[in-house]
Amino acid sequence: MKTHRLLLILFIFAFAPMVSQAQVKPKLQYTVGFGSSIDGMNLLYGVNFSNELNVRLGKRTSFNAGLSFYQSLGSYDDKTLPAYSNGKNNEQSSGIFITPSFKYDIIQRPSGFNLAFSAGPSLQLGGETFLRGINFGSEIPEPTYFTNKYQRVGLMVELEAEWNSKNPNRKNAVSLSAFGANNAMPWYLNATYKMRFKVGKK
């Protein structure tokens, strides 16, 4: 049984380079993206905007330098608000994320379709305002706003599907990424549509 598994693993590693040779990827690529986001800790929804510079290292590996921005737009959960809120939920969260990561193409097809996984440390500069119930001596906790400012390093992971467009110098992609910090994963979850452009020569 172990021999069969070993042969299967060797076959996969031997076959993978043949698949990756079916297409020649450019050395440099620049990517812009936008999409929707969820702050899982505070039950908020929002939008994200991303910029990436991708440097190809090998047939399947590359390095990404990413800069993204997230801003919440509202809450998807009904909450008891403080009396001074006048019926408006003032919770919010936002952040700029600086993310160097390594990317590996799990699947490469001659048609130009790629499925890739990337991971790396991410520096978040941002913060949040959230509601928590505080007991001031009464039996029912009173909701109160709290604010945190963040300059923290977490982990960003991403699964991305990429395919050719009608423009030979551009590719389309969609990704699902997650940011985790302070032993919470995912803290933020992002679904992003991307446009990727060739930079320079192959």
Side-chain angles (χ1 to χ4, degrees):
M1 187 68 178
K2 291 183 178 179
T3 304
H4 291 305
R5 289 182 180 176
L6 179 61
L7 289 173
L8 179 61
I9 292 171
L10 290 174
F11 174 78
I12 291 172
F13 278 100
F15 181 73
M18 295 172 60
V19 177
S20 63
Q21 287 175 356
Q23 54 175 317
V24 179
K25 299 180 70 176
K27 184 71 175 177
L28 290 175
Q29 294 178 306
Y30 173 70
T31 305
V32 292
F34 65 93
S36 59
S37 299
I38 291 176
D39 177 347
M41 294 296 103
N42 299 306
L43 306 180
L44 302 175
Y45 62 87
V47 293
N48 72 81
F49 301 92
S50 64
N51 293 270
E52 299 173 8
L53 182 63
N54 179 269
V55 182
R56 179 166 53 88
L57 303 176
K59 293 175 180 178
R60 287 181 175 268
T61 58
S62 58
F63 173 78
N64 275 350
L67 178 66
S68 60
F69 173 73
Y70 154 76
Q71 176 62 59
S72 66
L73 299 177
S75 175
Y76 58 84
D77 186 50
D78 291 331
K79 301 176 182 179
T80 302
L81 303 178
Y84 56 83
S85 290
N86 296 321
K88 180 182 178 181
N89 189 343
N90 294 317
E91 290 183 301
Q92 70 87 32
S93 59
S94 63
I96 294 173
F97 299 85
I98 302 169
T99 309
S101 64
F102 285 97
K103 183 177 179 181
Y104 179 79
D105 289 349
I106 304 168
I107 296 174
Q108 291 181 334
R109 291 288 181 261
S111 63
F113 175 82
N114 295 327
L115 183 66
F117 175 79
S118 62
S122 184
L123 171 63
Q124 180 193 5
L125 306 174
E128 63 184 4
T129 299
F130 59 95
L131 278 170
R132 289 295 183 271
I134 299 296
N135 195 323
F136 292 104
S138 61
E139 295 182 0
I140 302 176
E142 183 177 337
T144 304
Y145 289 108
F146 294 87
T147 298
N148 287 329
K149 298 294 183 182
Y150 290 125
Q151 294 183 17
R152 60 182 178 179
V153 175
L155 173 67
M156 186 78 78
V157 295
E158 182 178 52
L159 185 66
E160 179 192 85
E162 177 191 67
W163 65 95
N164 288 336
S165 71
K166 293 181 180 180
N167 184 340
N169 295 315
R170 194 194 82 201
K171 282 200 155 195
N172 298 319
V174 291
S175 73
L176 185 64
S177 62
F179 172 86
N182 302 340
N183 298 318
M185 184 63 158
W187 192 298
Y188 305 106
L189 193 62
N190 310 300
T192 309
Y193 168 73
K194 300 178 179 180
M195 291 181 291
R196 180 162 290 136
F197 304 90
K198 297 178 183 179
V199 179
K201 298 180 180 180
K202 292 183 179 181

